[in-house]
Amino acid sequence: MKSFIIVLITCMLVALNLSATNYHDVMKQNITKLIKSNSIEEINQIAATFERIANAEKEEWLPRYYSAYAHARATHFMSDTDSIDVSLDKAQAYINELLKSNEDESEVHVLQALVYSLRITSASRGYKYSSLSNKSLDRAMQLNAENPRIYYCRGNNVFNTPKMFGGGATKAEKLFTTANEKFESEKQENELWPSWGLYHNTQMLKKCKESN
Amino acid sequence: MKQIKIISLSLIFFISTVNLLSQQIVSGKVVSSDGETLVGVNIAIEGTYVGTITDMDGEFEFETEEVAGKSLVVSYIGFSPLTLNLDDVDSRNIVICLKESMTSLNAVTITAGSFAADDKKRASVLEPLDIYTTAGSLGDINGALKTLPGTQPASDDGRLLVRGGDASETKTFVDGLLAAKPYYSKVPDLPTRGRFSPSLFSGTVFSTGGYSAEYGQALSSVLILESSDVALEAITSVSLMSIGGELSNTWCSNNRSTSLGVSYTNMAPYYSLADNRLDWTKPTEATGINFMHRQKFDNGAMLKVFSTGDYGVSAFNSNIGDEITNIDTEGGNAYVNVNYSVPTGENSFLKTGIATTIDDQRQLAGMHRTSDDELSIEVRATMVNAISDGIELSYGIADAYTNYKQAYQHLGSSQSWNGGVKDHILAGFIEPEIKLSARFAFRPGLRLEYSSALAKMNISPRLSVAYKTGKNSQLSAAYGQYYQNPVNEYLKFTTDFNYEKSTHYIASYQVGSLKKRLLRMEAYYKQYDQLVTYDMGQHTYDLNFNNNGDGYAKGIDIFFRDRETIKRTDYWVSYSYIDTKRQYKDYPQKVSPSFISEHTFSAVAKYFVGAINTQVGATWIMASGRPYHQPDDSEFMNRKAPMYNDLSLNLSYLTHIAGYSTIVHFSMSNVLGRKHLVGYQTIPSGNGQPDTLMPLLPDIKQFMFLGVFISIN
């Protein structure tokens, strides 16, 4: 009888594994894939998967968040400004939904700030989008000052702003340092919670130290 | 025990097999309604995570457990999503056709005749910043717009002269409301400039014809300025210029911003160095103020207050023949524009507003003293209602009130004259914009006006159509009838007039995108009717006024902008050809008016030198000679002035002063030092003596400007 139960449980586990419809597992699997991926095609596939999850799990905000984040991340592998704008338009569509459903979530505003910063593909867009980005980071800060990604994004904004407009590596270094401290003490609410930024932050910190 | 093991193993096998057996393949292809392959379309089994995206060939394939009773959801940005039942199709070979969403950013937009400088609009040809950075514009909106095709350079005027029309045929609107005096008062001999600083606006639409029924009282063109949104940052800015200074401050809180600016202009220091043609006894000295307030409300409503005020004096001696005349002017202007727009439903909103202009000017020219006082108030309410995905209906009413008074006095005699006009122009319009698909849109409109001064009504039909021929190309056409009251200069004598009228026919083709390369070509034909004519009588006040004038303008405008070919360089070139003749004013016959250049070419280039943080800009304008009339010639307006050729340069150096972002800006016009003779003006002597010819030359041959702009935030 005991064995029969074991068999039954085994069977159930196998069945579960095969269908792979578990929200938590699919999310985790795709988040891991996204962080590792460096091909636009694969990232687009992942973004689409998050989109499908979002449509099936309407009450969850993380699928939409990750779909937007994937589209933002995809722009790192693009050079054509039109393609970048199209990808960011897709990200923005989800952020607009998130700003309605989860306005009080710090991470949503950080993602908005990231998307605004990525819009800066030419100097003429610099002023407008860096102002918007910083404004979003201000809101993220109000909601959770411990969020390391705020400091990381602000660091990037400052780093990419010309020195004469109050930017530069020296000022950015302080922000990346704070971000690193916050990353170390960061406690994820759950396994699926946003955790990106640490790797690039460390790289940027190194870059700042070298140039100063 | 062994038996159980076997059972369990077979159970596992059984379950796995069932699982495998139930795996079914779903595959197919997605195309747009034009047959274009769509890449990256998201395909999903409704309510599950199962699905995929289309590949480079628009094809997809995935496995799923069960197709019976399931639905497939197909979604792609810019396209209307589609759901289809898998029972109704061959799930291994599904051909899906997606329709482009009409609300998508890529959908067709009506562009015929208009140039937009707005980063929100897809049809833009300029960005807001371009207005600032165009060499030769000297921070004047109109200066930058004069590098676009369809405008006349007319450097001696400074106002916008569009497609054969004179300055009175262009009207300016701020946030949809009339700005009755968009230029500083025009003094004879000197060009004027725009009253509003480009820094106050985030968007500009400059229509050279065929514009919407929302606007009237302009035979040729409308310039629609949209004032900036709620400011994001509190900022103090200080500007020190060779001709004066400006100080402004912006206060900011959530969803609200207020700014106040003051300015002072004094040309005296610069004129003491420059070589003026005119003998200035009082170089222009002026003060200005502007106040802005923006507020967003929780219900989505937006309040915008836009106001400016200025006061200035100037005086110079003008040599007409042997006679020296002192021209002394003094003027003040206040403009207050209050705009409130509020959502009235899910898909509709109401825009209301009131704009008031108070303008008082005094001029003493020799013994002639004139004073002009004008009050203009426009009240407007417009509803915009998106009835369905493809139809947006706009309709509204407006009343534009003018009270204009002029007093004239001859100081040497007892001669004096008083005149003026009061007028209410009531207007209503209705205009649906209908998108039959994401490729084809049309906008029929109807405008009705009644002027109390003329006691006449006019009905003007308008129609614009646009058809997208490709991803980045479109064909547009526009037709419209336009009416305008005769100008106050005539109405002050009599209101026994009819409307002046023009009819526009425009066809245009645009290809490319502003981010890369853009080419636009437009051809137009414009018919003028009922233009005001008069005979130069014994006295200026018994002119024999009529509406007997007419004319035409036809031409081709070409605009090309390229930001991709040369690294860090942005340039645009414009070419306009115009053939226009008209009989109006006291013209004895139909001729090209004196402000018309048949061929106009302009090129603007901007290059950023990263190493020294400097943007270098150049604007080159060439225009064929303008006609002028010399008295005693047997034929009217039979002579041509020499070609106009101007090269202006500017340098903007980005730096910081005491830790604050600073821009040092230098500009110089007519770098080549050419003599800019743009024609001759006939000065009637009036008392039997022969008329005098006055060469139209700029006051300063080469104008130089230096400014330091500091932002403190």
Side-chain angles (χ1 to χ4, degrees):
Chain A
M1 197 57 211
K2 208 176 163 191
S3 316
F4 187 71
I5 291 167
I6 294 169
V7 169
L8 219 100
I9 290 172
T10 318
C11 289
M12 278 163 74
L13 281 174
V14 170
L16 265 177
N17 223 350
L18 277 171
S19 60
T21 51
N22 179 291
Y23 169 72
H24 187 271
D25 291 351
V26 180
M27 284 292 286
K28 207 181 153 200
Q29 188 189 333
N30 279 285
I31 293 166
T32 316
K33 258 199 327 203
L34 175 63
I35 303 293
K36 284 184 188 149
S37 177
N38 54 13
S39 99
I40 297 175
E41 290 73 30
E42 198 185 354
I43 294 176
N44 282 339
Q45 271 287 3
I46 298 167
T49 306
F50 283 124
E51 193 181 312
R52 290 194 293 272
I53 302 172
N55 288 335
E57 312 281 350
K58 299 235 188 280
E59 70 292 348
E60 298 286 347
W61 67 278
L62 283 170
R64 274 171 289 161
Y65 174 91
Y66 277 108
S67 188
Y69 175 64
H71 285 301
R73 199 176 165 94
T75 63
H76 293 311
F77 307 101
M78 297 175 179
S79 55
D80 174 63
T81 51
D82 274 350
S83 315
I84 290 175
D85 274 336
V86 168
S87 201
L88 294 177
D89 287 346
K90 290 179 189 169
Q92 190 63 49
Y94 281 109
I95 293 172
N96 290 346
E97 286 178 23
L98 289 168
L99 285 171
K100 279 185 196 149
S101 60
N102 296 70
E103 203 284 326
D104 55 354
E105 181 45 65
S106 175
E107 297 291 353
V108 171
H109 295 277
V110 174
L111 187 57
Q112 173 69 82
L114 176 74
V115 167
Y116 280 142
S117 302
L118 292 169
R119 291 272 183 196
I120 307 172
T121 47
S122 70
S124 64
R125 287 181 169 191
Y127 179 74
K128 179 182 170 184
Y129 286 107
S130 62
S131 304
L132 285 169
S133 177
N134 288 328
K135 194 88 182 166
S136 293
L137 291 174
D138 289 346
R139 178 73 185 128
M141 190 86 169
Q142 278 176 4
L143 295 165
N144 177 16
E146 292 307 305
N147 185 346
R149 277 164 293 283
I150 299 171
Y151 305 89
Y152 160 69
C153 283
R154 211 184 278 281
N156 271 322
N157 284 353
V158 169
F159 187 86
N160 292 315
T161 302
K163 221 171 176 176
M164 70 226 41
F165 295 132
T170 321
K171 283 185 184 168
E173 192 188 330
K174 285 179 198 151
L175 287 159
F176 289 129
T177 310
T178 314
N180 245 5
E181 289 162 10
K182 304 270 180 196
F183 272 118
E184 272 167 33
S185 60
E186 187 182 25
K187 282 188 204 85
Q188 244 67 39
E189 288 206 12
N190 58 55
E191 267 191 305
L192 305 179
W193 201 260
S195 63
W196 53 271
L198 175 61
Y199 176 73
H200 191 233
N201 189 72
T202 315
Q203 278 187 321
M204 288 306 290
L205 194 56
K206 213 194 270 172
K207 210 168 165 181
C208 286
K209 282 190 173 131
E210 277 163 14
S211 66
N212 285 336
Chain B
M1 199 59 195
K2 205 178 177 187
Q3 218 179 2
I4 290 173
K5 248 186 191 164
I6 289 166
I7 291 170
S8 64
L9 271 173
S10 53
L11 245 170
I12 293 171
F13 181 76
F14 174 71
I15 290 170
S16 310
T17 318
V18 164
N19 238 320
L20 281 174
L21 279 177
S22 66
Q23 290 290 311
Q24 296 192 27
I25 288 172
V26 177
S27 62
K29 190 176 162 91
V30 184
V31 290
S32 73
S33 41
D34 320 310
E36 211 181 316
T37 301
L38 295 177
V39 182
V41 179
N42 208 347
I43 318 274
I45 300 285
E46 194 172 31
T48 73
Y49 308 169
V50 181
T52 187
I53 57 174
T54 54
D55 62 14
M56 293 308 283
D57 303 315
E59 288 170 355
F60 66 92
E61 183 179 315
F62 65 94
E63 286 182 358
T64 182
E65 289 164 33
E66 185 59 64
V67 292
K70 294 278 170 67
S71 287
L72 203 62
V73 183
V74 187
S75 60
Y76 191 54
I77 194 165
F79 286 78
S80 307
L82 195 88
T83 307
L84 58 98
N85 194 328
L86 283 172
D87 292 343
D88 303 342
V89 291
D90 170 10
S91 60
R92 282 183 172 257
N93 187 20
I94 313 169
V95 178
I96 300 163
C97 175
L98 280 187
K99 252 175 79 180
E100 217 171 322
S101 155
M102 285 182 264
T103 47
S104 114
L105 280 172
N106 288 318
V108 62
T109 46
I110 288 168
T111 54
S114 73
F115 292 99
D118 189 325
D119 44 17
K120 282 180 238 150
K121 292 195 174 67
R122 197 187 60 89
S124 291
V125 297
L126 296 179
E127 286 185 358
L129 208 61
D130 287 329
I131 310 260
Y132 261 127
T133 54
T134 299
S137 69
L138 289 170
D140 183 4
I141 297 171
N142 309 304
L145 297 178
K146 281 188 168 192
T147 64
L148 297 178
T151 59
Q152 288 292 331
S155 56
D156 54 318
D157 190 298
R159 297 172 291 183
L160 288 168
L161 303 159
V162 181
R163 289 184 174 169
D166 72 15
S168 70
E169 294 177 25
T170 298
K171 289 282 182 335
T172 302
F173 296 87
V174 173
D175 295 329
L177 291 164
L178 182 71
K181 296 279 174 184
Y183 306 104
Y184 287 107
S185 170
K186 172 105 171 65
V187 176
D189 279 16
L190 289 171
T192 179
R193 54 183 280 129
R195 175 158 265 136
F196 306 123
S197 159
S199 62
L200 305 174
F201 304 99
S202 60
T204 305
V205 176
F206 174 45
S207 172
T208 54
Y211 40 88
S212 136
E214 193 177 346
Y215 304 101
Q217 288 292 318
L219 290 185
S220 281
S221 159
V222 288
L223 174 62
I224 303 154
L225 302 168
E226 198 196 328
S227 66
S228 319
D229 222 327
V230 175
L232 294 169
E233 287 180 314
I235 197 164
T236 302
S237 54
V238 183
S239 313
L240 300 166
M241 295 168 279
S242 51
I243 57 166
E246 274 175 32
L247 189 68
S248 83
N249 194 41
T250 302
W251 295 267
C252 243
S253 66
N254 229 0
N255 293 327
R256 195 162 22 159
S257 71
T258 306
S259 69
L260 181 69
V262 288
S263 66
Y264 172 73
T265 309
N266 190 340
M267 301 303 287
Y270 181 65
Y271 284 179
S272 67
L273 299 171
D275 183 18
N276 297 69
R277 179 175 62 86
L278 298 171
D279 170 23
W280 288 91
T281 51
K282 171 72 203 159
T284 307
E285 188 177 3
T287 52
I289 183 164
N290 66 65
F291 171 80
M292 312 285 141
H293 179 74
R294 276 97 190 71
Q295 192 161 353
K296 273 187 195 155
F297 298 92
D298 290 337
N299 62 353
M302 175 92 173
L303 172 73
K304 277 181 168 185
V305 179
F306 176 101
S307 55
T308 63
D310 53 74
Y311 169 80
V313 291
S314 71
F316 61 90
N317 288 325
S318 174
N319 294 28
I320 297 172
D322 302 329
E323 210 178 313
I324 294 174
T325 311
N326 187 264
I327 297 176
D328 190 327
T329 58
E330 178 188 15
N333 178 286
Y335 180 62
V336 182
N337 175 322
V338 182
N339 227 293
Y340 181 71
S341 69
V342 58
T344 49
E346 184 86 341
N347 295 311
S348 64
F349 65 96
L350 172 69
K351 283 194 292 184
T352 56
I354 176 164
T356 306
T357 306
I358 301 169
D359 191 80
D360 293 326
Q361 307 292 333
R362 310 268 172 276
Q363 192 183 81
L364 182 61
M367 301 294 272
H368 309 276
R369 168 178 279 169
T370 38
S371 75
D372 293 86
D373 297 311
E374 187 172 336
L375 168 70
S376 149
I377 301 169
E378 195 196 33
V379 190
R380 200 182 261 254
T382 308
M383 274 293 294
V384 180
N385 194 347
I387 294 172
S388 70
D389 190 23
I391 304 175
E392 189 177 84
L393 179 68
S394 308
Y395 52 96
I397 46 164
D399 174 45
Y401 170 70
T402 309
N403 183 352
Y404 169 71
K405 276 181 263 180
Q406 189 181 56
Y408 167 80
Q409 197 188 353
H410 190 269
L411 295 182
S413 66
S414 56
Q415 228 185 63
S416 73
W417 186 87
N418 285 295
V421 62
K422 278 185 198 170
D423 191 11
H424 275 281
I425 300 173
L426 291 161
F429 81 96
I430 181 157
E431 194 170 60
E433 184 170 318
I434 302 159
K435 281 182 185 160
L436 292 181
S437 73
R439 305 205 129 199
F440 180 68
F442 69 106
R443 191 177 67 192
L446 196 66
R447 184 177 178 87
L448 221 86
E449 285 179 344
Y450 175 82
S451 154
S452 66
L454 305 186
K456 282 186 181 71
M457 198 166 92
N458 73 60
I459 299 173
S460 35
R462 318 265 168 102
L463 177 67
S464 301
V465 290
Y467 178 72
K468 250 185 106 171
T469 48
K471 195 179 162 217
N472 278 320
S473 64
Q474 84 172 39
L475 277 167
S476 320
Y479 159 82
Q481 288 182 7
Y482 300 85
Y483 291 92
Q484 182 173 329
N485 283 25
V487 293
N488 289 341
E489 270 170 71
Y490 307 146
L491 287 174
K492 71 187 179 191
F493 295 115
T494 170
T495 55
D496 188 16
F497 278 115
N498 204 340
Y499 293 102
E500 295 185 297
K501 182 187 172 188
S502 70
T503 311
H504 300 186
Y505 304 86
I506 298 170
S508 97
Y509 177 69
Q510 180 169 325
V511 60
S513 87
L514 175 60
K515 281 180 232 152
K516 295 173 174 174
R517 270 185 290 261
L518 180 125
L519 173 69
R520 172 142 149 190
M521 292 178 289
E522 205 160 281
Y524 62 92
Y525 178 80
K526 179 155 67 170
Q527 172 71 38
Y528 282 101
D529 294 293
Q530 294 165 213
L531 297 179
V532 171
T533 53
Y534 54 83
D535 301 325
M536 256 318 190
Q538 195 69 18
H539 302 284
T540 46
Y541 46 85
D542 58 279
L543 304 167
N544 179 22
F545 283 114
N546 260 309
N547 276 96
N548 291 338
D550 67 341
Y552 69 88
K554 57 188 177 193
I556 295 165
D557 291 339
I558 298 170
F559 177 83
F560 176 71
R561 184 166 188 174
D562 179 1
R563 322 172 83 162
E564 196 173 58
T565 311
I566 313 167
K567 217 183 160 194
R568 277 188 294 187
T569 305
D570 176 8
Y571 70 88
W572 68 83
V573 288
S574 306
Y575 168 75
S576 305
Y577 166 75
I578 184 168
D579 170 11
T580 179
K581 282 194 172 136
R582 56 163 65 191
Q583 182 170 13
Y584 82 141
K585 293 186 173 173
D586 58 342
Y587 286 18
Q589 71 205 66
K590 222 181 260 183
V591 293
S592 286
S594 61
F595 51 84
I596 296 296
S597 293
E598 202 181 350
H599 303 275
T600 308
F601 168 84
S602 67
V604 175
K606 298 164 192 188
Y607 177 73
F608 190 75
V609 191
I612 51 167
N613 291 315
T614 301
Q615 177 171 283
V616 185
T619 299
W620 180 29
I621 298 179
M622 272 200 306
S624 57
R626 287 156 45 177
Y628 68 92
H629 180 68
Q630 192 152 311
D632 305 331
D633 277 0
S634 55
E635 228 175 302
F636 180 64
M637 209 69 97
N638 200 26
R639 294 177 189 247
K640 283 263 171 83
M643 191 179 91
Y644 175 79
N645 183 352
D646 179 80
L647 177 68
S648 298
L649 288 181
N650 68 7
L651 296 170
S652 299
Y653 170 58
L654 314 177
T655 179
H656 49 179
I657 289 177
Y660 300 118
S661 320
T662 302
I663 299 172
V664 181
H665 183 86
F666 172 76
S667 71
M668 182 176 179
S669 70
N670 192 16
V671 176
L672 304 175
R674 291 181 55 107
K675 185 179 172 185
H676 281 164
L677 179 73
V678 289
Y680 291 86
Q681 198 182 359
T682 316
I683 311 295
S685 58
N687 42 16
Q689 297 291 310
D691 294 347
T692 327
L693 259 194
M694 193 179 74
L696 292 170
L697 283 166
D699 175 37
I700 293 173
K701 198 173 178 184
Q702 295 174 304
F703 190 85
M704 276 180 258
F705 172 88
L706 181 67
V708 179
F709 306 93
I710 307 166
S711 304
I712 303 162
N713 55 351

